[in-house]
Amino acid sequence: ITRIILQTKKQVNIAIIGKYVELKDAYKSLDEALTHGGIENNIKVNLVRIDSEKLKVSEIRSKLKNISGILIPGGFGKRGTDGKIEAIKYARNNKIPFLGICYGMQMAIIEFARNKLNLKKATSSEFDKKGLHIIGLINEWTKDGRKIKGTDKELGGTMRLGSYDAKLKENSFIKKIYKKNLIKERHRHRYEVNIAYKEKFEKNGMIFSGLSPDGELPEIIELRNHPWFIGVQ
């Protein structure tokens, strides 16, 4: 292990783009996961922390010039969202491997809606009470003008916390990774992707490749015609 970390000539630069990067332990679990992933693959992973709040559009290309992959982690609130969205746009357009976790997946949804679907007002009700709420609390959702079955206003503000099932789409990249039809993964979030937009997204190349067993909650998204672009709730 020491040889791999200190002596290997194979290296990749992975950017973690978030708003807590100045706090040394904020993304500790991600740091460890990426480092151990490098060990497993006999490659050194250089972690590059980028503050999304300070990331300017004019600096995107230069700051991500030598980046091998981009990870947008979880988070809360509006601060730093513009930088995350611009970084995701850059990853999507330039075929840079991308992983969005929780909030990172939601920002990928918003970026795609704004810049690919031309839904310029697409946003999340978490940080913008106006606009088109592609992301929102469960009780905000409507489907054909009706509340989605199984939702309740009393539960709309609570977290979906703990282990939840996701059913994976046939012939998807995520299913090739897991090699399973049904997986269980940890959740910690309040806001969800509105399933009502699924068809529009998929027609334009963003696949909802993991859904809750009842088909109402998008859990995983991926892009067609991209080497590695995945978002997970």
Side-chain angles (χ1 to χ4, degrees), residues 1 4 34-43:
I1 292 176
I4 294 172
L34 289 166
T35 298
H36 282 267
I39 293 169
E40 178 68 19
N41 288 280
N42 198 36
I43 193 167

Side-chain angles (χ1 to χ4, degrees), residues 70-73 88 96-110 166 168 172-174 177-178 183 185 187 189 193 206-211 217-224 226 228-233:
I70 293 171
L71 189 153
I72 306 287
I88 294 167
I96 298 173
F98 166 82
L99 175 62
I101 300 174
C102 193
Y103 203 65
M105 168 178 157
Q106 295 173 9
M107 295 303 100
I109 288 280
I110 291 172
L168 306 186
S172 64
F173 193 38
I174 198 71
I177 293 171
Y178 276 96
I183 63 171
E185 289 290 2
H187 288 60
H189 64 274
V193 179
M206 179 171 278
I207 308 305
F208 287 35
S209 55
L211 297 174
L217 299 175
E219 303 281 21
I220 304 168
I221 55 98
E222 60 187 69
L223 278 184
R224 293 198 189 281
H226 192 286
W228 213 97
F229 190 108
I230 291 176
V232 297
Q233 276 283 43

Side-chain angles (χ1 to χ4, degrees), residues 38 160 162:
R160 194 150 63 103

Side-chain angles (χ1 to χ4, degrees), residues 1-11 35-45:
I1 292 176
T2 302
R3 179 187 59 78
I4 294 172
I5 294 175
L6 298 179
Q7 298 179 13
T8 183
K9 293 181 180 180
K10 296 180 180 179
Q11 299 187 26
T35 298
H36 282 267
I39 293 169
E40 178 68 19
N41 288 280
N42 198 36
I43 193 167
K44 182 181 179 183
V45 178

